[in-house]
Amino acid sequence: MAKILAIETATRVCSVALIDGGAVTGESGLNIPHVHVERLVILINELLENLHASYAEIDAIAVSNGPGSFTGLRIGLSVAKGIAFALDRKIIAVPTLDALALSLSYLESGRMVVPILHARGEEFYYAPYVITDSGAQRQRAYAIAEAEKIADEFAEETVFIGEGVAAFSKTDAARRKFGQGSMKDVPASAREVALLADDRFKKGEFADLSSLVPLYIKDFIAIKGNPLNKLSRPMPGSRLKSGLEES
């Protein structure tokens, strides 16, 4: 029965959750842009404190590894790697679109759902999933495309979910084909990351701590001098403050 800490920072939402024995026991998050780097570790500490849990009890760290915000992904992965390294724990990578699709697993079996995140301009990250009795099954690889191409790919009854819905629904291609009932502007959540991570833990599907990098889909463009350029690199000997010292 694993206790897994899950982290979601791929979108504007910064959230964390704890799953214990297959049940999510707690979740905390902020739907505020650009606070991930300041608030993530604080959210984790507060969650564990509220649940009367400690870092030492955690069996693995799960992180939403993209696609999504380049900066957010690097922050989340940096913190996840730091905790995993400090505690000598396994790390589990959960694709962000998989987690989004799982949040619609209550829909009837056979329904097509498409998690969608805004990349930039009129480009979106997306992947198609079919709802089954066991969750949401991805049909093909994660991709990036313009709204026109995405709209052409799917039938009118398709349900789109994710932060990208806000921008996608305003495009001419989407307005011509899909109604508002097809659009669910639901943010990514650490809860679904935790649920998927629990299944991967049972199957022994762990990522390599030293080589794990974000799933960008689109090439990352580094800004010279930006300290975040180093965030996804391994951090031998590093320690997280704000609570880990006492674990």
Side-chain angles (χ1 to χ4, degrees):
M1 304 292 277
K3 185 175 288 187
I4 303 170
L5 174 67
I7 296 171
E8 168 57 71
T9 57
T11 66
R12 69 174 181 267
V13 172
C14 178
S15 71
V16 296
L18 191 71
I19 189 168
D20 187 1
V24 177
T25 57
E27 181 182 8
S28 180
L30 293 171
N31 194 349
I32 305 172
H34 313 307
V35 300
H36 299 37
V37 71
E38 296 92 354
R39 295 292 300 175
L40 179 55
V41 174
I42 295 173
L43 280 177
I44 294 171
N45 290 335
E46 290 176 346
L47 175 69
L48 295 178
E49 182 179 352
N50 290 338
L51 296 174
H52 305 290
S54 70
Y55 280 97
E57 298 173 32
I58 296 171
D59 297 301
I61 316 299
V63 61
S64 174
N65 75 317
S69 160
F70 291 165
T71 300
L73 289 171
R74 290 163 79 82
I75 291 169
L77 188 56
S78 174
V79 171
K81 281 189 170 187
I83 297 174
F85 184 87
L87 298 178
D88 191 24
R89 297 294 191 268
K90 298 290 188 180
I91 192 166
I92 302 169
V94 175
T96 309
L97 298 180
D98 289 10
L100 274 167
L102 183 64
S103 67
L104 287 181
S105 59
Y106 62 84
L107 293 177
E108 66 271 20
S109 183
R111 194 71 180 270
M112 175 72 74
V113 300
V114 179
I116 187 167
L117 297 173
H118 195 194
R120 61 189 182 195
E122 289 200 4
E123 291 183 322
F124 298 85
Y125 304 116
Y126 73 107
Y129 297 73
V130 170
I131 300 301
T132 69
D133 292 339
S134 59
Q137 298 297 318
R138 182 163 52 88
Q139 302 301 292
R140 57 178 183 270
Y142 313 108
I144 183 171
E146 293 188 349
E148 188 79 34
K149 179 181 183 299
I150 297 172
D152 287 344
E153 284 188 44
F154 301 106
E156 293 177 4
E157 60 270 20
T158 301
V159 178
F160 293 87
I161 182 173
E163 284 185 8
V165 160
F168 179 68
S169 63
K170 294 176 183 176
T171 65
D172 291 339
R175 281 200 300 261
R176 284 195 303 266
K177 190 169 185 179
F178 307 105
Q180 285 304 309
S182 298
M183 304 291 169
K184 296 186 181 296
D185 187 358
V186 177
S189 167
R191 178 182 180 83
E192 281 71 38
V193 174
L195 290 168
L196 290 176
D198 187 66
D199 184 60
R200 293 189 176 209
F201 186 95
K202 293 172 184 174
K203 296 176 180 176
E205 296 178 353
F206 304 111
D208 180 75
L209 181 60
S210 62
S211 63
L212 178 61
V213 294
L215 177 63
Y216 287 131
I217 306 298
K218 194 176 184 70
D219 290 342
F220 174 71
I221 301 174
I223 300 174
K224 186 176 181 180
N226 186 348
L228 291 176
N229 291 341
K230 301 178 181 180
L231 280 179
S232 62
R233 298 177 188 172
M235 301 178 298
S238 66
R239 287 172 59 87
L240 283 184
K241 298 181 179 180
S242 305
L244 273 176
E245 304 93 329
E246 302 174 0
S247 299

